[in-house]
Amino acid sequence: MELLVLALVVLFIIVATVKFKMHPIFSLTIAAVASGFLLGLSPTDIMKTIGEGFGKTLSGIGLVIAFGTVIGIYLEKTGSTQVLANSILKIIGLKRSPLAINLAGYVISIPVFCDSGFIILSSLNKAISRRTGIPVMVFAISLATGLYAAHVFVPPTPGPLAAAALLEADLGLVLLLGLAVSIPVSLTGYFWARIIGKSLKEEKNSDDVSEKEEFQTSIKPIQAFMPLLAPILLIAMKSIVNYPTHPLGEGAVFHLLDFLGNPIMALLVGVFLALSLGRKVPAKEKEGWVPEAFKQAGAIVLITGAGGAFGAILRTMDIASLINLESSSGIGGLLIAFVIAAVLKTAQGSSTVAIITTSAIIAPLLESFGLVSAMDKSLAVLAVGAGAMTVSHINDSYFWVVSQFSNITVKTALRGHTLGTLFQGVVGILMVLLLYFLQ
């Protein structure tokens, strides 16, 4: 009966989101309430469990998501994303410009949403294609897959933040391991772009936008990088100083880095660095930037909280014993997490919803899988992330951004972008399994 309940509520989330276009906040909340009644919980217990699950999930990451979104908006609005892209292009060189575009997308998608990143840099694709003679589709697929790689693996992107909260994983470790997994995943997209890009054709000539004037800004590369690098370094240092051997001791340095490395403080430092990027922008022009960021963050925060409420209800059932997981291995658990996320992603389109729903489902199962250490939980987060990028197709808004701004047909986008995300997801889970073996 409990297994049937689980199957029905997951099916409801997919159908409600895909067919009836219901917002995930509502579908996850309804699923949580329905699960509670079907499992025999009293109305009082249902409401208490939902409230506790919602609050516990958001207590650690609500502000982190909001601050991360502010950083992304300021990087986008001040033209810093193009500064980042041009800096990477100069370092790697024009001859290897598709690789530079791939890595630029990778870096930019940590604080900036994939859709926005692709829209901002798509004109750069066309300009570099003209200068190098390399087909524009090589750049388009390189950029699309680079943006996609960090989106599901590297905090402070909302998906991995939410998964870390739901699975109670160490955020610093998720960040470090996420970088290790996502870089090969990004390069997979680059290699796929070099293979397939030359055989893909634009639907129509896009000369009218290819020479779009670049954003004029006096921001230096180091200024553009700092709002992104500072939080990442601080969060990573917190994990290092808290390592059992305490490599930096337990004195003043330990307490300072432990405090500043808390994700809330680390992202707040990033916010102040991001705010400095707009110091030369007229106050009237930038007065709507922070409200716009909070508007974006609000929906993600609420979806994450609803996922936490759903997960809290699921924790009331003993799923592990129901499906006989006593002998399951860590590898099996990571693969199950990957498959569930991939099914949800493919069915309903949103990587963030797939990550949150899958994390809620597998959270009660981690102990049965033998995934109990900090390393194991972090790898579980990344296995979910790998599944949540497999695959991006016609029910994913990002698919349409890539196809429309690259001036290609749906068939061409399926060949280039969708197949690329399939290969990326497979490489992602293989990297997670490799790290599990090596620990």
Side-chain angles (χ1 to χ4, degrees):
M1 178 60 187
E2 290 179 318
L3 274 180
L4 180 60
V5 169
L6 179 62
L8 286 174
V9 293
V10 171
L11 181 62
F12 165 76
I13 291 170
I14 294 172
V15 172
T17 306
V18 176
K19 185 172 179 59
F20 299 104
K21 309 301 180 186
M22 183 181 290
H23 197 284
I25 293 171
F26 297 125
S27 60
L28 285 166
T29 304
I30 292 170
V33 174
S35 299
F37 279 115
L38 291 171
L39 292 170
L41 299 180
S42 70
T44 302
D45 286 340
I46 291 172
M47 291 299 99
K48 181 181 177 183
T49 304
I50 286 176
E52 290 175 350
F54 186 93
K56 182 181 178 183
T57 303
L58 293 188
S59 62
I61 65 163
L63 285 174
V64 175
I65 291 174
F67 292 163
T69 311
V70 171
I71 293 171
I73 285 288
Y74 265 77
L75 287 173
E76 178 184 333
K77 299 289 188 182
T78 59
S80 298
T81 49
Q82 286 202 343
V83 173
L84 291 171
N86 287 326
S87 300
I88 294 171
L89 186 59
K90 287 178 182 177
I91 293 169
I92 295 181
L94 206 58
K95 289 183 179 178
R96 294 183 292 275
S97 49
L99 176 59
I101 286 294
N102 179 262
L103 295 179
Y106 172 83
V107 171
I108 288 166
S109 72
I110 295 174
V112 177
F113 291 104
C114 290
D115 307 53
S116 299
F118 194 89
I119 292 168
I120 293 165
L121 297 181
S122 59
S123 59
L124 189 62
N125 283 342
K126 301 178 180 83
I128 299 175
S129 175
R130 282 175 169 269
R131 291 171 61 188
T132 61
I134 299 172
V136 69
M137 289 312 303
V138 174
F139 292 102
I141 302 303
S142 288
L143 176 61
T145 52
L147 285 162
Y148 204 41
H151 181 65
V152 295
F153 291 119
V154 184
T157 308
L161 275 178
L166 289 165
L167 299 180
E168 299 179 351
D170 177 76
L171 194 58
L173 197 53
V174 170
L175 193 155
L176 292 171
L177 294 174
L179 291 171
V181 170
S182 58
I183 291 174
V185 169
S186 183
L187 293 175
T188 299
Y190 160 71
F191 288 120
W192 173 245
R194 297 304 300 248
I195 293 168
I196 195 68
K198 294 177 182 178
S199 66
L200 301 178
K201 301 295 181 185
E202 287 185 271
E203 184 178 5
K204 58 182 182 293
N205 195 298
S206 54
D207 288 343
D208 55 327
V209 294
S210 63
E211 297 297 333
K212 181 180 177 181
E213 185 179 352
E214 285 191 18
F215 196 106
Q216 297 300 312
T217 178
S218 60
I219 293 170
K220 294 180 174 60
I222 187 64
Q223 293 174 296
F225 274 101
M226 283 309 294
L228 178 57
L229 292 180
I232 290 175
L233 290 174
L234 288 172
I235 293 171
M237 286 304 298
K238 177 179 172 65
S239 290
I240 292 171
V241 299
N242 279 282
Y243 194 73
T245 58
H246 295 292
L248 298 182
E250 297 181 69
V253 173
F254 167 80
H255 291 293
L256 178 64
L257 291 176
D258 184 60
F259 173 70
L260 292 177
N262 180 286
I264 293 175
M265 288 306 303
L267 268 293
L268 185 58
V269 170
V271 165
F272 284 119
L273 291 169
L275 293 176
S276 70
L277 297 175
R279 64 186 181 280
K280 294 183 180 180
V281 179
K284 186 73 175 175
E285 184 178 333
K286 64 185 179 184
E287 67 180 9
W289 292 2
V290 171
E292 181 181 342
F294 289 157
K295 184 179 179 181
Q296 288 184 6
I300 297 166
V301 167
L302 289 173
I303 293 171
T304 303
F310 179 47
I313 292 290
L314 294 184
R315 283 187 176 90
T316 64
M317 70 168 90
D318 188 5
I319 303 174
S321 62
L322 288 172
I323 52 182
N324 193 26
L325 290 174
E326 287 84 352
S327 60
S328 293
S329 66
I331 294 172
L334 294 173
L335 287 172
I336 288 172
F338 171 79
V339 170
I340 293 173
V343 169
L344 286 168
K345 163 64 178 177
T346 304
Q348 54 79 43
S350 169
S351 293
T352 303
V353 173
I355 288 173
I356 292 169
T357 307
T358 304
S359 298
I361 291 170
I362 69 164
L365 304 176
L366 290 183
E367 187 173 347
S368 299
F369 289 144
L371 301 172
V372 293
S373 70
M375 178 80 166
D376 291 340
K377 290 180 179 179
S378 298
L379 290 176
V381 170
L382 300 181
V384 172
M389 69 185 314
T390 316
V391 294
S392 172
H393 64 101
I394 57 175
N395 62 4
D396 182 0
S397 62
Y398 185 49
F399 173 90
W400 294 106
V401 168
V402 172
S403 62
Q404 295 303 305
F405 279 82
S406 301
N407 299 293
I408 55 177
T409 63
V410 171
K411 181 179 179 182
T412 302
L414 288 169
R415 284 181 61 205
H417 174 68
T418 301
L419 277 178
T421 63
L422 172 61
F423 295 136
Q424 284 186 294
V426 171
V427 170
I429 189 60
L430 290 176
M431 286 298 301
V432 170
L433 294 177
L434 177 62
L435 290 172
Y436 181 80
F437 277 119
L438 293 177
Q439 70 171 318

PDB file of all heavy atoms in Angstrom, residues 19 40 48 114 150 155 222 256 292 294 296 324 339 362 393 422:
ATOM      1  N   LYS A  19       0.973  18.060 -17.836  1.00  0.00           N
ATOM      2  CA  LYS A  19      -0.301  18.145 -18.550  1.00  0.00           C
ATOM      3  C   LYS A  19      -1.122  19.365 -18.143  1.00  0.00           C
ATOM      4  O   LYS A  19      -1.684  20.073 -18.982  1.00  0.00           O
ATOM      5  CB  LYS A  19      -1.120  16.871 -18.333  1.00  0.00           C
ATOM      6  CG  LYS A  19      -2.413  16.833 -19.157  1.00  0.00           C
ATOM      7  CD  LYS A  19      -3.084  15.477 -19.073  1.00  0.00           C
ATOM      8  CE  LYS A  19      -4.380  15.438 -19.855  1.00  0.00           C
ATOM      9  NZ  LYS A  19      -4.203  15.746 -21.288  1.00  0.00           N
ATOM     10  N   GLY A  40      -2.379   7.321   6.374  1.00  0.00           N
ATOM     11  CA  GLY A  40      -3.101   7.168   7.633  1.00  0.00           C
ATOM     12  C   GLY A  40      -2.726   8.157   8.717  1.00  0.00           C
ATOM     13  O   GLY A  40      -3.084   7.962   9.888  1.00  0.00           O
ATOM     14  N   LYS A  48       1.636  19.368  10.980  1.00  0.00           N
ATOM     15  CA  LYS A  48       2.841  19.544  11.792  1.00  0.00           C
ATOM     16  C   LYS A  48       4.075  19.073  11.026  1.00  0.00           C
ATOM     17  O   LYS A  48       5.110  19.755  10.999  1.00  0.00           O
ATOM     18  CB  LYS A  48       2.702  18.757  13.096  1.00  0.00           C
ATOM     19  CG  LYS A  48       3.905  18.902  14.021  1.00  0.00           C
ATOM     20  CD  LYS A  48       3.736  18.087  15.287  1.00  0.00           C
ATOM     21  CE  LYS A  48       4.969  18.186  16.172  1.00  0.00           C
ATOM     22  NZ  LYS A  48       4.845  17.342  17.394  1.00  0.00           N
ATOM     23  N   CYS A 114      20.957  29.332 -16.405  1.00  0.00           N
ATOM     24  CA  CYS A 114      21.369  28.902 -17.751  1.00  0.00           C
ATOM     25  C   CYS A 114      20.711  29.733 -18.846  1.00  0.00           C
ATOM     26  O   CYS A 114      21.382  30.172 -19.789  1.00  0.00           O
ATOM     27  CB  CYS A 114      20.994  27.432 -17.978  1.00  0.00           C
ATOM     28  SG  CYS A 114      21.956  26.268 -17.037  1.00  0.00           S
ATOM     29  N   ALA A 150      27.535  23.199 -14.643  1.00  0.00           N
ATOM     30  CA  ALA A 150      27.591  23.667 -13.259  1.00  0.00           C
ATOM     31  C   ALA A 150      26.204  23.805 -12.647  1.00  0.00           C
ATOM     32  O   ALA A 150      26.051  23.801 -11.423  1.00  0.00           O
ATOM     33  CB  ALA A 150      28.333  24.998 -13.191  1.00  0.00           C
ATOM     34  N   PRO A 155      27.114  24.414  -5.957  1.00  0.00           N
ATOM     35  CA  PRO A 155      26.487  25.510  -5.211  1.00  0.00           C
ATOM     36  C   PRO A 155      27.265  26.805  -5.484  1.00  0.00           C
ATOM     37  O   PRO A 155      28.452  26.745  -5.771  1.00  0.00           O
ATOM     38  CB  PRO A 155      26.657  25.077  -3.752  1.00  0.00           C
ATOM     39  CG  PRO A 155      26.959  23.610  -3.810  1.00  0.00           C
ATOM     40  CD  PRO A 155      27.678  23.390  -5.098  1.00  0.00           C
ATOM     41  N   ILE A 222      39.224  40.949 -12.572  1.00  0.00           N
ATOM     42  CA  ILE A 222      39.311  40.512 -11.177  1.00  0.00           C
ATOM     43  C   ILE A 222      38.080  40.935 -10.390  1.00  0.00           C
ATOM     44  O   ILE A 222      37.601  40.207  -9.511  1.00  0.00           O
ATOM     45  CB  ILE A 222      40.603  41.062 -10.507  1.00  0.00           C
ATOM     46  CG1 ILE A 222      40.786  40.479  -9.107  1.00  0.00           C
ATOM     47  CG2 ILE A 222      40.580  42.577 -10.461  1.00  0.00           C
ATOM     48  CD1 ILE A 222      40.990  38.993  -9.075  1.00  0.00           C
ATOM     49  N   LEU A 256      37.516  32.081  12.658  1.00  0.00           N
ATOM     50  CA  LEU A 256      37.207  33.082  11.635  1.00  0.00           C
ATOM     51  C   LEU A 256      36.738  32.414  10.347  1.00  0.00           C
ATOM     52  O   LEU A 256      35.700  32.794   9.779  1.00  0.00           O
ATOM     53  CB  LEU A 256      38.438  33.946  11.356  1.00  0.00           C
ATOM     54  CG  LEU A 256      38.265  35.011  10.261  1.00  0.00           C
ATOM     55  CD1 LEU A 256      37.217  36.035  10.685  1.00  0.00           C
ATOM     56  CD2 LEU A 256      39.603  35.688   9.951  1.00  0.00           C
ATOM     57  N   GLU A 292      14.169  42.335  -8.320  1.00  0.00           N
ATOM     58  CA  GLU A 292      14.074  41.328  -9.385  1.00  0.00           C
ATOM     59  C   GLU A 292      14.739  40.026  -8.966  1.00  0.00           C
ATOM     60  O   GLU A 292      14.225  38.930  -9.220  1.00  0.00           O
ATOM     61  CB  GLU A 292      14.738  41.861 -10.659  1.00  0.00           C
ATOM     62  CG  GLU A 292      14.665  40.888 -11.837  1.00  0.00           C
ATOM     63  CD  GLU A 292      15.355  41.417 -13.079  1.00  0.00           C
ATOM     64  OE1 GLU A 292      15.600  42.638 -13.174  1.00  0.00           O
ATOM     65  OE2 GLU A 292      15.655  40.599 -13.972  1.00  0.00           O
ATOM     66  N   PHE A 294      15.145  38.949  -5.851  1.00  0.00           N
ATOM     67  CA  PHE A 294      14.334  38.302  -4.819  1.00  0.00           C
ATOM     68  C   PHE A 294      13.075  37.681  -5.409  1.00  0.00           C
ATOM     69  O   PHE A 294      12.571  36.670  -4.898  1.00  0.00           O
ATOM     70  CB  PHE A 294      13.971  39.303  -3.720  1.00  0.00           C
ATOM     71  CG  PHE A 294      15.142  39.692  -2.861  1.00  0.00           C
ATOM     72  CD1 PHE A 294      15.141  40.890  -2.147  1.00  0.00           C
ATOM     73  CD2 PHE A 294      16.249  38.872  -2.751  1.00  0.00           C
ATOM     74  CE1 PHE A 294      16.211  41.246  -1.352  1.00  0.00           C
ATOM     75  CE2 PHE A 294      17.337  39.216  -1.958  1.00  0.00           C
ATOM     76  CZ  PHE A 294      17.317  40.410  -1.260  1.00  0.00           C
ATOM     77  N   GLN A 296      12.977  36.258  -8.396  1.00  0.00           N
ATOM     78  CA  GLN A 296      13.460  34.974  -8.935  1.00  0.00           C
ATOM     79  C   GLN A 296      13.694  33.977  -7.816  1.00  0.00           C
ATOM     80  O   GLN A 296      13.327  32.801  -7.915  1.00  0.00           O
ATOM     81  CB  GLN A 296      14.767  35.190  -9.710  1.00  0.00           C
ATOM     82  CG  GLN A 296      14.619  35.889 -11.037  1.00  0.00           C
ATOM     83  CD  GLN A 296      15.945  35.976 -11.777  1.00  0.00           C
ATOM     84  OE1 GLN A 296      16.954  35.411 -11.347  1.00  0.00           O
ATOM     85  NE2 GLN A 296      15.957  36.691 -12.881  1.00  0.00           N
ATOM     86  N   ASN A 324      12.861  -3.867   0.221  1.00  0.00           N
ATOM     87  CA  ASN A 324      13.905  -4.827   0.545  1.00  0.00           C
ATOM     88  C   ASN A 324      15.286  -4.328   0.141  1.00  0.00           C
ATOM     89  O   ASN A 324      15.982  -4.924  -0.686  1.00  0.00           O
ATOM     90  CB  ASN A 324      13.609  -6.183  -0.138  1.00  0.00           C
ATOM     91  CG  ASN A 324      14.498  -7.300   0.415  1.00  0.00           C
ATOM     92  OD1 ASN A 324      14.951  -7.217   1.554  1.00  0.00           O
ATOM     93  ND2 ASN A 324      14.728  -8.326  -0.398  1.00  0.00           N
ATOM     94  N   VAL A 339      18.746   7.344 -11.625  1.00  0.00           N
ATOM     95  CA  VAL A 339      17.640   6.927 -12.497  1.00  0.00           C
ATOM     96  C   VAL A 339      16.350   7.663 -12.146  1.00  0.00           C
ATOM     97  O   VAL A 339      15.634   8.134 -13.040  1.00  0.00           O
ATOM     98  CB  VAL A 339      17.440   5.391 -12.417  1.00  0.00           C
ATOM     99  CG1 VAL A 339      16.153   4.981 -13.125  1.00  0.00           C
ATOM    100  CG2 VAL A 339      18.633   4.663 -13.031  1.00  0.00           C
ATOM    101  N   ILE A 362      14.700   9.909  -1.830  1.00  0.00           N
ATOM    102  CA  ILE A 362      15.812   9.027  -1.417  1.00  0.00           C
ATOM    103  C   ILE A 362      16.363   9.356  -0.039  1.00  0.00           C
ATOM    104  O   ILE A 362      17.114   8.560   0.531  1.00  0.00           O
ATOM    105  CB  ILE A 362      16.959   9.032  -2.446  1.00  0.00           C
ATOM    106  CG1 ILE A 362      17.677  10.384  -2.450  1.00  0.00           C
ATOM    107  CG2 ILE A 362      16.475   8.659  -3.828  1.00  0.00           C
ATOM    108  CD1 ILE A 362      19.029  10.322  -3.145  1.00  0.00           C
ATOM    109  N   HIS A 393      15.051  18.362 -23.205  1.00  0.00           N
ATOM    110  CA  HIS A 393      14.394  18.267 -24.519  1.00  0.00           C
ATOM    111  C   HIS A 393      13.204  19.218 -24.546  1.00  0.00           C
ATOM    112  O   HIS A 393      13.212  20.245 -23.874  1.00  0.00           O
ATOM    113  CB  HIS A 393      14.012  16.815 -24.850  1.00  0.00           C
ATOM    114  CG  HIS A 393      12.996  16.211 -23.933  1.00  0.00           C
ATOM    115  ND1 HIS A 393      11.663  16.094 -24.249  1.00  0.00           N
ATOM    116  CD2 HIS A 393      13.117  15.686 -22.682  1.00  0.00           C
ATOM    117  CE1 HIS A 393      11.014  15.519 -23.262  1.00  0.00           C
ATOM    118  NE2 HIS A 393      11.865  15.266 -22.291  1.00  0.00           N
ATOM    119  N   LEU A 422      22.526  14.146 -22.753  1.00  0.00           N
ATOM    120  CA  LEU A 422      22.526  12.716 -22.433  1.00  0.00           C
ATOM    121  C   LEU A 422      23.944  12.240 -22.119  1.00  0.00           C
ATOM    122  O   LEU A 422      24.186  11.587 -21.091  1.00  0.00           O
ATOM    123  CB  LEU A 422      21.945  11.908 -23.593  1.00  0.00           C
ATOM    124  CG  LEU A 422      22.056  10.380 -23.470  1.00  0.00           C
ATOM    125  CD1 LEU A 422      21.305   9.872 -22.245  1.00  0.00           C
ATOM    126  CD2 LEU A 422      21.545   9.700 -24.736  1.00  0.00           C
TER     127      LEU A 422
END
